[in-house]
Amino acid sequence: MINYHPDQHLLSLHAKGELPLSMSIAISAHAEFCAHCQQQLDQMTLALSEQQFEQNQTIQPASIEQHGQLDDLLNQFLNNTLDSLDTEVKTKPQSSLVADNSVTIKGQQYMLPRVFKQQITSGWQGIGKVSRLRLDTGEPQARASLLHIAANGEIPDHTHKGSELTLLLAGEFSDCYNTYKPGDFMLLDQNHEHSPKTTEGCLCYTIVDAPLYFTKGISKLLNPIGDLLY
Amino acid sequence: MLHRDLLDMSEKMENIQSQSSQTRYDKGNLSLRSSNQRSGAMNSDEPNPLTDELAQLMMLVANNRCKTSFAKLFSHFAPKINSFGVQRLSQQGLAMDLVQETMSRVWTKAHLYNADKAAVSTWVFTIMRNQCFDMLRKVQHNREDAFGDDIWPLFESDDAENNDDDFLLSASLLQHVEELPPLQRQVVQGIYMQELTQQELADKLNIPIGTVKSRLRLGLEKLKSFMEKHYD
């Protein structure tokens, strides 16, 4: 039974596609564990698509110029693009059928949720019982990693400059608040201090040091001045 | 338990089969079913004529490569995709790219659209949002990657209950799939992971459909015995 879930705000930003990659991965992976959140996401997506495509009043009237561009694009599709797309599909060699979607650490293999399939590009680093595999999300504001803690390992007391997201993927761990199970999604801010420990070992997905970053839509961050604020 | 999993696998195979042969052509049945299913999720009791019309157009594009139907879909969706793009990407040029990318995928992926699982609007919205996500990454981080479809899978079941099972089941099954003889593995992966129909797979591998069927059967039987040996 999963006890910790992303809140409605995060879910709705995710359905709109407005969260950064690191956080989108976390929500999507959580939803692979959690039928309840997946269902909410499906409903939100349905509502958004109706709002976008089935209610005419929300659409701003396109300018004459845009109409012209759309007409040109359609003509291009009909005269040319559609046929060449079909040829491309036929001739394109299909590459390997399934990506290896697992990681191995200290002799233990873990299957990862589907969303990680293109994300594991580097190796493990670490000392003692704690190992980290950095994901290259290209986001200067956040560091996303897989974190493995071997059996009977523990992370010393720590707090965070920004927020810390932990999604438990396998195994269990506990801190002074609770014991967590795979699928549990914990977002802690800098006021929380904790020292997670695990008896059987665990694999987590974490994002750290991201003050304010997670909960704002990406399109708001598009403004270049947004970056200077961090 | 494991028997049930493999039964599920075979059922899925049946579904894919019937989808490619029968159901896709049975428009009356499809639109009826899709509006029934949707009414639950939408809290709306009235069938939506627009929804059914869009589903029929998709069917014509998928089955007949009908350009007239594509043009109608384009006229319906393109201005709305454009306005979404302008809002999200803040540049008219990029918005037009989003229209082009999204509508190209509507054409190339039309055969994967399933009216039982989602309304056309929802499907197109998903394609558009995923493309837009990748375009935003390009603009924002100068990254040329395509992760949108990993984050919001397009072509799989929207059925929430299956989600957990799929991931946990595939965790154990995938290992065994790797152990299959190469020819069987290729067919099992094509059907279940790429979600090709048997005919599509036969065309792709350039082998008769009967061979696909027999390799698939052998592969599934072997998987079943792997699973039993391993877990009983």
Side-chain angles (χ1 to χ4, degrees):
Chain A
M1 179 71 188
I2 297 170
N3 287 315
Y4 298 86
H5 305 267
D7 64 21
Q8 291 291 314
H9 177 64
L10 276 179
L11 287 179
S12 87
L13 286 173
H14 181 67
K16 290 179 191 157
E18 292 201 357
L19 291 172
L21 176 63
S22 53
M23 195 53 153
S24 303
I25 290 173
I27 308 254
S28 176
H30 170 78
E32 284 186 57
F33 286 97
C34 177
H36 178 71
C37 286
Q38 183 60 54
Q39 202 176 359
Q40 291 197 54
L41 287 170
D42 290 345
Q43 277 166 8
M44 287 172 177
T45 306
L46 181 67
L48 286 167
S49 67
E50 281 169 0
Q51 192 189 341
Q52 190 67 36
F53 290 139
E54 290 176 17
Q55 293 172 3
N56 286 313
Q57 62 271 23
T58 61
I59 305 302
Q60 297 161 349
S63 67
I64 292 171
E65 192 198 352
Q66 287 176 20
H67 268 305
Q69 287 179 349
L70 288 172
D71 287 345
D72 291 348
L73 184 57
L74 178 58
N75 285 330
Q76 203 184 315
F77 262 118
L78 295 176
N79 295 331
N80 194 330
T81 317
L82 295 183
D83 290 329
S84 58
L85 284 172
D86 279 345
T87 332
E88 248 174 64
V89 168
K90 267 184 209 132
T91 52
K92 197 170 66 185
Q94 300 270 348
S95 51
S96 74
L97 290 173
V98 67
D100 178 21
N101 195 24
S102 66
V103 288
T104 304
I105 171 76
K106 298 195 198 306
Q108 173 110 35
Q109 189 187 28
Y110 294 96
M111 279 305 299
L112 297 173
R114 170 191 52 214
V115 67
F116 287 101
K117 83 180 175 204
Q118 292 187 71
Q119 303 296 338
I120 307 303
T121 51
S122 62
W124 291 95
Q125 294 185 319
I127 34 166
K129 291 182 187 287
V130 180
S131 316
R132 190 180 282 282
L133 187 158
R134 183 63 44 83
L135 268 58
D136 179 22
T137 59
E139 297 161 349
Q141 301 91 337
R143 284 181 296 136
S145 333
L146 295 179
L147 183 72
H148 179 263
I149 312 177
N152 299 314
E154 123 173 61
I155 294 187
D157 270 352
H158 65 295
T159 52
H160 311 286
K161 230 180 1 177
S163 321
E164 181 192 61
L165 176 276
T166 305
L167 174 70
L168 185 54
L169 298 174
E172 54 68 42
F173 76 85
S174 14
D175 60 14
C176 52
Y177 306 106
N178 220 324
T179 295
Y180 305 97
K181 304 216 168 63
D184 273 334
F185 181 103
M186 281 97 30
L187 192 51
L188 300 179
D189 63 23
Q190 70 266 39
N191 300 319
H192 287 82
E193 186 175 314
H194 70 152
S195 51
K197 46 186 89 142
T198 172
T199 40
E200 65 176 76
C202 69
L203 180 71
C204 306
Y205 172 65
T206 66
I207 320 174
V208 291
D209 281 349
L212 297 178
Y213 181 59
F214 296 146
T215 47
K216 269 172 100 171
I218 344 182
S219 38
K220 301 204 180 73
L221 294 170
L222 255 187
N223 179 348
I225 295 169
D227 267 0
L228 299 179
L229 295 177
Y230 291 100
Chain B
M1 160 78 188
L2 293 162
H3 280 283
R4 202 190 61 210
D5 291 343
L6 278 168
L7 272 179
D8 285 346
M9 275 180 85
S10 333
E11 241 167 55
K12 198 168 169 192
M13 176 177 79
E14 294 302 321
N15 285 342
I16 288 167
Q17 283 254 279
S18 63
Q19 186 191 334
S20 62
S21 55
Q22 249 181 334
T23 325
R24 279 194 198 172
Y25 296 93
D26 192 351
K27 286 171 208 149
N29 184 24
L30 263 185
S31 38
L32 185 68
R33 271 206 269 166
S34 71
S35 53
N36 278 346
Q37 173 162 344
R38 282 165 46 71
S39 63
M42 296 167 56
N43 303 319
S44 128
D45 298 312
E46 290 158 32
N48 185 341
L50 175 64
T51 307
D52 294 346
E53 193 192 331
L54 292 174
Q56 297 210 356
L57 292 172
M58 276 305 296
M59 221 74 68
L60 288 168
V61 170
N63 295 329
N64 305 345
R65 306 313 274 153
C66 171
K67 290 181 181 173
T68 316
S69 300
F70 178 84
K72 287 184 186 161
L73 289 169
F74 187 97
S75 309
H76 177 75
F77 285 112
K80 298 171 181 184
I81 297 170
N82 183 59
S83 95
F84 180 90
V86 170
Q87 253 172 42
R88 200 64 81 86
L89 298 159
S90 336
Q91 268 186 52
Q92 180 54 40
L94 290 175
M96 211 48 80
D97 287 352
L98 182 65
V99 175
Q100 171 155 14
E101 289 301 320
T102 306
M103 293 311 294
S104 297
R105 303 197 78 201
V106 167
W107 178 260
T108 52
K109 306 289 181 188
H111 61 292
L112 297 170
Y113 171 69
N114 181 345
D116 287 342
K117 288 183 182 160
V120 178
S121 297
T122 310
W123 192 68
V124 174
F125 178 84
T126 305
I127 294 177
M128 170 184 79
R129 176 197 49 201
N130 297 6
Q131 286 294 328
C132 188
F133 183 85
D134 292 334
M135 286 173 69
L136 270 172
R137 299 238 332 133
K138 197 169 154 188
V139 174
Q140 204 190 349
H141 297 299
N142 200 20
R143 287 297 179 112
E144 295 266 0
D145 42 34
F147 297 144
D149 289 348
D150 289 343
I151 295 169
W152 302 276
L154 258 188
F155 309 120
E156 290 185 14
S157 162
D158 288 328
D159 194 353
E161 303 122 88
N162 287 340
N163 215 290
D164 197 17
D165 284 352
D166 277 354
F167 161 56
L168 299 175
L169 170 62
S170 62
S172 58
L173 257 185
L174 268 187
Q175 274 176 318
H176 295 301
V177 171
E178 293 296 321
E179 295 162 28
L180 290 173
L183 291 175
Q184 292 169 18
R185 189 175 70 211
Q186 194 178 36
V187 171
V188 170
Q189 287 176 335
I191 299 281
Y192 293 109
M193 287 149 211
Q194 287 196 309
E195 309 219 336
L196 299 173
T197 63
Q198 295 186 3
Q199 188 58 58
E200 282 164 345
L201 193 59
D203 293 345
K204 203 185 97 185
L205 299 174
N206 219 354
I207 52 177
I209 189 164
T211 313
V212 171
K213 282 179 202 292
S214 60
R215 284 179 193 170
L216 186 61
R217 177 168 304 279
L218 286 173
L220 288 182
E221 276 165 11
K222 195 158 290 176
L223 272 181
K224 204 162 152 180
S225 70
F226 276 146
M227 302 282 275
E228 284 163 354
K229 216 184 298 169
H230 201 264
Y231 293 96
D232 273 358

